[in-house]
Amino acid sequence: MPDPVDLVVPVKELRRAKSRLAPAVAGLPGDDADREHAHRALALALARDTLRAARAAGLAGRLVVVTAEPAERLAGAGAPWETVRDPGGGLNAAIRAGAAHLRRAGARRAVAALQADLPALRPDELDDALSRAAAAFADGAPAAFVADHAGTGTTLLVTAPGRSPRPRFGPGSAGAHALAGAVALDGDWPGLRGDVDTVDDLARARALGVGPETDAWCGRVTAPAAVGAPCGPR
């Protein structure tokens, strides 16, 4: 069995997170403050479900959450984990901060950066991907990644033991990680590939089966006909 892999999960400040999901709450009743609260609650639900699944993976070692949010806000998602203050500077800087925290504590294992918007993630998917990454490292690969459902983004970047992560998250990150020498991992992992950036993504994830936090959020939302059903069918 492969060695455990330490995980770094960056969780963006909720008030700035998931701007492309604004249509999911645009037609909800109430005022702008109510809709802003619903938007933040959705971003929080996505993160909590991701963390819960990651913590349950058999190959998950230490779990480091990099965020500007109060740690207690993420409670109830399979804690304990370690929290590092987001230094600012974007997603890649947050991942590097998490990896640096692990190094300062003497960690020498592989480090995986996992996106925090994977509400349909299954622990066995993550375990399988981490196992395949270990096999790639045995063949000399410095890093490995999982592309998102569109094939252009990245949901998981795993860096081999003894190496510093070189994250290139952002538009076209799958191609950027490949150009940097990371090996693309291939597997049937719809939940692991199912990052949620848009209303369509949310509906796709719900069809796969989301975690309890996202499912509860969807259960509370009744969208007007003009907006449609942001969560899609169960």
Side-chain angles (χ1 to χ4, degrees):
M1 182 176 180
D3 292 333
V5 176
D6 294 329
L7 303 178
V8 175
V9 182
V11 177
K12 195 172 184 179
E13 192 176 3
L14 296 178
R15 67 182 179 86
R16 299 186 298 112
K18 297 296 159 194
S19 59
R20 284 190 286 167
L21 278 174
V25 301
L28 296 181
D31 57 19
D32 288 345
D34 294 326
R35 287 184 284 274
E36 175 64 19
H37 177 76
H39 192 171
R40 294 188 191 191
L42 174 56
L44 180 59
L46 299 176
R48 282 177 168 173
D49 282 337
T50 303
L51 290 170
R52 181 178 285 103
R55 181 71 283 169
L59 290 180
R62 294 168 63 185
L63 174 56
V64 176
V65 178
V66 185
T67 185
E69 292 292 332
E72 59 270 17
R73 191 160 288 166
L74 296 167
W81 55 68
E82 301 162 60
T83 302
V84 172
R85 182 74 180 178
D86 190 335
L91 182 60
N92 294 318
I95 291 167
R96 289 191 293 268
H101 169 80
L102 288 165
R103 286 197 301 273
R104 285 194 297 272
R108 294 291 183 270
R109 295 187 291 216
V111 175
L114 181 70
Q115 293 278 38
D117 59 350
L118 304 171
L121 177 64
R122 302 291 186 268
D124 62 315
E125 293 179 326
L126 183 55
D127 280 333
D128 190 31
L130 295 177
S131 293
R132 297 196 193 198
F137 301 154
D139 289 337
F145 70 95
V146 174
D148 65 8
H149 61 87
T152 56
T154 304
T155 60
L156 178 73
L157 174 67
V158 193
T159 303
R163 293 180 177 266
S164 296
R166 299 171 62 191
R168 286 166 168 76
F169 287 90
S173 63
H177 286 133
L179 285 174
V183 173
L185 299 174
D186 187 23
D188 183 20
W189 309 311
L192 179 56
R193 298 185 190 277
D195 55 333
V196 174
D197 290 319
T198 67
V199 173
D200 287 344
D201 293 340
L202 181 57
R204 181 183 299 108
R206 187 121 190 270
L208 291 172
V210 294
E213 300 276 351
T214 306
D215 192 53
W217 186 92
C218 287
R220 291 192 297 267
V221 172
T222 303
V227 177
C231 294
R234 269 186 187 275

